[in-house]
């Protein structure tokens, strides 16, 4: 048996996440072949600025494109930016050969928005209001 120690933290570093992900991807590579994970982001910034105000983050893996997070600053909501972000992500998913997109959203978030874009619920997680239910949604790409 290998010696190990456990450290608990409520402030894990991005580097610790990267290290854990590398271990997982090494296991995956040995088990089913090299993972084909590819990250993707569309970043909203002020013109000429580097600071990120919002955007869309996702990744493709094994023919599916997961939308991890989409954030439109409150001052920009209602102007079609969220729709534009999702349409661009869908175009990228198609370019990567993905057969579906998926995401999750809570009761206080944007289920109707995703439904207007063709997403449908495939699973639901119950929990206390006003946060839940949490819906898992997908869209098949033809």
């Amino acid at each position: 048996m290998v010696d190990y120690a456990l450290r608990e933290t409520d402030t894990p570093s991005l580097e610790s996440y990267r290290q854990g992900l590398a271990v997982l991807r090494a296991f995956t590579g040995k088990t089913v072949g090299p993972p084909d994970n590819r990250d993707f982001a569309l970043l909203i910034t002020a013109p000429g600025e580097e600071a990120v105000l919002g955007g869309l983050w996702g990744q493709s893996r094994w023919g599916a494109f997961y939308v991890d997070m989409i954030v439109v600053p409150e001052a920009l909501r209602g102007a079609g930016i969220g729709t534009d972000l999702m349409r661009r992500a869908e175009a990228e998913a198609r370019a990567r050969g993905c057969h579906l997109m998926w995401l999750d959203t809570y009761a206080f978030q944007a289920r109707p928005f995703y439904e207007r874009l063709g997403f449908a619920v495939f699973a639901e997680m119950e929990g206390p209001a006003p946060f839940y239910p949490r819906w898992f949604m997908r869209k098949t790409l033809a």
Side-chain angles (χ1 to χ4, degrees), residues 22-77:
V23 173
L24 178 61
R25 287 182 174 172
F27 166 79
T28 300
K30 284 194 274 185
T31 306
V32 297
D36 66 350
N37 300 50
R38 287 183 53 207
D39 293 329
F40 179 75
L42 294 164
L43 307 176
I44 299 172
T45 63
E49 298 292 325
E50 289 293 318
V52 174
L53 305 173
L56 181 147
W57 291 261
Q59 79 168 236
S60 59
R61 178 186 316 134
W62 296 317
F65 190 98
Y66 174 62
V67 177
D68 180 46
M69 180 169 59
I70 179 171
V71 180
V72 176
E74 199 167 340
L76 299 176
R77 291 183 190 156

Side-chain angles (χ1 to χ4, degrees), residues 74-95:
E74 199 167 340
L76 299 176
R77 291 183 190 156
I81 294 169
T83 299
D84 185 43
L85 291 171
M86 290 297 291
R87 293 208 190 289
R88 288 173 181 247
E90 182 175 332
E92 181 64 21
R94 289 178 187 280

Side-chain angles (χ1 to χ4, degrees), residues 71-142:
V71 180
V72 176
E74 199 167 340
L76 299 176
R77 291 183 190 156
I81 294 169
T83 299
D84 185 43
L85 291 171
M86 290 297 291
R87 293 208 190 289
R88 288 173 181 247
E90 182 175 332
E92 181 64 21
R94 289 178 187 280
R96 293 179 182 202
C98 294
H99 63 277
L100 68 86
M101 292 180 71
W102 71 285
L103 53 85
D104 61 273
T105 189
Y106 287 91
F108 66 92
Q109 292 178 324
R111 178 180 169 177
F113 167 73
Y114 298 120
E115 288 173 329
R116 284 192 300 275
L117 296 173
F119 285 79
V121 172
F122 70 87
E124 181 176 323
M125 184 185 309
E126 293 298 327
F131 314 107
Y132 290 86
R134 180 179 181 186
W135 295 288
F136 296 84
M137 305 179 77
R138 71 175 162 219
K139 178 178 182 176
T140 301
L141 306 177

